[in-house]
mmCIF file of all heavy atoms in Angstrom:
data_model
loop_
_atom_site.group_PDB
_atom_site.id
_atom_site.type_symbol
_atom_site.label_atom_id
_atom_site.label_comp_id
_atom_site.label_asym_id
_atom_site.label_seq_id
_atom_site.Cartn_x
_atom_site.Cartn_y
_atom_site.Cartn_z
ATOM 1 N N ARG W 273 -34.572 -47.988 -110.999
ATOM 2 C CA ARG W 273 -34.591 -47.358 -112.320
ATOM 3 C C ARG W 273 -35.100 -45.923 -112.228
ATOM 4 O O ARG W 273 -34.603 -45.031 -112.927
ATOM 5 C CB ARG W 273 -35.456 -48.179 -113.280
ATOM 6 C CG ARG W 273 -34.881 -49.554 -113.602
ATOM 7 C CD ARG W 273 -35.635 -50.185 -114.758
ATOM 8 N NE ARG W 273 -37.020 -50.457 -114.426
ATOM 9 C CZ ARG W 273 -37.462 -51.585 -113.879
ATOM 10 N NH1 ARG W 273 -36.605 -52.557 -113.598
ATOM 11 N NH2 ARG W 273 -38.745 -51.760 -113.623
ATOM 12 N N ALA W 274 -36.100 -45.687 -111.361
ATOM 13 C CA ALA W 274 -36.607 -44.328 -111.184
ATOM 14 C C ALA W 274 -35.532 -43.427 -110.586
ATOM 15 O O ALA W 274 -35.376 -42.266 -111.000
ATOM 16 C CB ALA W 274 -37.846 -44.342 -110.285
ATOM 17 N N ASP W 275 -34.783 -43.942 -109.619
ATOM 18 C CA ASP W 275 -33.687 -43.169 -109.030
ATOM 19 C C ASP W 275 -32.663 -42.776 -110.089
ATOM 20 O O ASP W 275 -32.176 -41.641 -110.119
ATOM 21 C CB ASP W 275 -33.006 -43.976 -107.926
ATOM 22 C CG ASP W 275 -33.795 -43.970 -106.630
ATOM 23 O OD1 ASP W 275 -34.555 -43.014 -106.409
ATOM 24 O OD2 ASP W 275 -33.650 -44.917 -105.837
ATOM 25 N N THR W 276 -32.321 -43.717 -110.950
ATOM 26 C CA THR W 276 -31.347 -43.434 -112.000
ATOM 27 C C THR W 276 -31.872 -42.372 -112.959
ATOM 28 O O THR W 276 -31.144 -41.451 -113.358
ATOM 29 C CB THR W 276 -31.014 -44.714 -112.777
ATOM 30 O OG1 THR W 276 -30.510 -45.700 -111.866
ATOM 31 C CG2 THR W 276 -29.965 -44.454 -113.843
ATOM 32 N N ALA W 277 -33.128 -42.486 -113.331
ATOM 33 C CA ALA W 277 -33.715 -41.515 -114.253
ATOM 34 C C ALA W 277 -33.741 -40.120 -113.638
ATOM 35 O O ALA W 277 -33.413 -39.125 -114.307
ATOM 36 C CB ALA W 277 -35.124 -41.952 -114.645
ATOM 37 N N ILE W 278 -34.108 -40.005 -112.365
ATOM 38 C CA ILE W 278 -34.173 -38.702 -111.708
ATOM 39 C C ILE W 278 -32.772 -38.121 -111.548
ATOM 40 O O ILE W 278 -32.564 -36.910 -111.720
ATOM 41 C CB ILE W 278 -34.886 -38.834 -110.352
ATOM 42 C CG1 ILE W 278 -36.362 -39.174 -110.577
ATOM 43 C CG2 ILE W 278 -34.756 -37.560 -109.534
ATOM 44 C CD1 ILE W 278 -37.111 -39.528 -109.323
ATOM 45 N N ARG W 279 -31.796 -38.983 -111.244
ATOM 46 C CA ARG W 279 -30.417 -38.485 -111.149
ATOM 47 C C ARG W 279 -29.955 -37.909 -112.482
ATOM 48 O O ARG W 279 -29.344 -36.833 -112.541
ATOM 49 C CB ARG W 279 -29.486 -39.610 -110.721
ATOM 50 C CG ARG W 279 -28.027 -39.179 -110.639
ATOM 51 C CD ARG W 279 -27.099 -40.352 -110.367
ATOM 52 N NE ARG W 279 -25.729 -39.894 -110.288
ATOM 53 C CZ ARG W 279 -24.924 -39.721 -111.338
ATOM 54 N NH1 ARG W 279 -25.403 -39.945 -112.562
ATOM 55 N NH2 ARG W 279 -23.683 -39.296 -111.184
ATOM 56 N N ASN W 280 -30.239 -38.608 -113.569
ATOM 57 C CA ASN W 280 -29.844 -38.107 -114.886
ATOM 58 C C ASN W 280 -30.544 -36.794 -115.218
ATOM 59 O O ASN W 280 -29.965 -35.908 -115.842
ATOM 60 C CB ASN W 280 -30.161 -39.151 -115.958
ATOM 61 C CG ASN W 280 -29.280 -40.374 -115.852
ATOM 62 O OD1 ASN W 280 -28.183 -40.319 -115.305
ATOM 63 N ND2 ASN W 280 -29.758 -41.498 -116.363
ATOM 64 N N LEU W 281 -31.795 -36.686 -114.791
ATOM 65 C CA LEU W 281 -32.552 -35.468 -115.057
ATOM 66 C C LEU W 281 -31.875 -34.265 -114.420
ATOM 67 O O LEU W 281 -31.669 -33.226 -115.066
ATOM 68 C CB LEU W 281 -33.979 -35.626 -114.526
ATOM 69 C CG LEU W 281 -34.887 -34.398 -114.616
ATOM 70 C CD1 LEU W 281 -35.171 -34.047 -116.068
ATOM 71 C CD2 LEU W 281 -36.184 -34.630 -113.863
ATOM 72 N N PHE W 282 -31.516 -34.369 -113.140
ATOM 73 C CA PHE W 282 -30.871 -33.251 -112.459
ATOM 74 C C PHE W 282 -29.436 -33.056 -112.934
ATOM 75 O O PHE W 282 -28.931 -31.929 -112.942
ATOM 76 C CB PHE W 282 -30.916 -33.454 -110.941
ATOM 77 C CG PHE W 282 -32.253 -33.157 -110.336
ATOM 78 C CD1 PHE W 282 -33.079 -34.172 -109.899
ATOM 79 C CD2 PHE W 282 -32.697 -31.850 -110.226
ATOM 80 C CE1 PHE W 282 -34.319 -33.897 -109.353
ATOM 81 C CE2 PHE W 282 -33.937 -31.566 -109.683
ATOM 82 C CZ PHE W 282 -34.750 -32.595 -109.242
ATOM 83 N N HIS W 283 -28.778 -34.141 -113.322
ATOM 84 C CA HIS W 283 -27.415 -34.015 -113.828
ATOM 85 C C HIS W 283 -27.388 -33.126 -115.062
ATOM 86 O O HIS W 283 -26.476 -32.302 -115.239
ATOM 87 C CB HIS W 283 -26.843 -35.394 -114.141
ATOM 88 C CG HIS W 283 -25.412 -35.359 -114.577
ATOM 89 N ND1 HIS W 283 -25.040 -35.101 -115.879
ATOM 90 C CD2 HIS W 283 -24.256 -35.537 -113.882
ATOM 91 C CE1 HIS W 283 -23.722 -35.127 -115.978
ATOM 92 N NE2 HIS W 283 -23.226 -35.388 -114.772
ATOM 93 N N ASP W 284 -28.383 -33.262 -115.917
ATOM 94 C CA ASP W 284 -28.430 -32.462 -117.139
ATOM 95 C C ASP W 284 -28.804 -31.011 -116.864
ATOM 96 O O ASP W 284 -28.625 -30.150 -117.735
ATOM 97 C CB ASP W 284 -29.423 -33.074 -118.132
ATOM 98 C CG ASP W 284 -28.930 -34.403 -118.692
ATOM 99 O OD1 ASP W 284 -27.728 -34.684 -118.554
ATOM 100 O OD2 ASP W 284 -29.752 -35.158 -119.245
#
Side-chain angles (χ1 to χ4, degrees):
R273 293 191 295 271
D275 282 334
T276 302
I278 292 171
R279 178 187 180 275
N280 291 337
L281 175 66
F282 283 106
H283 184 277
D284 291 344

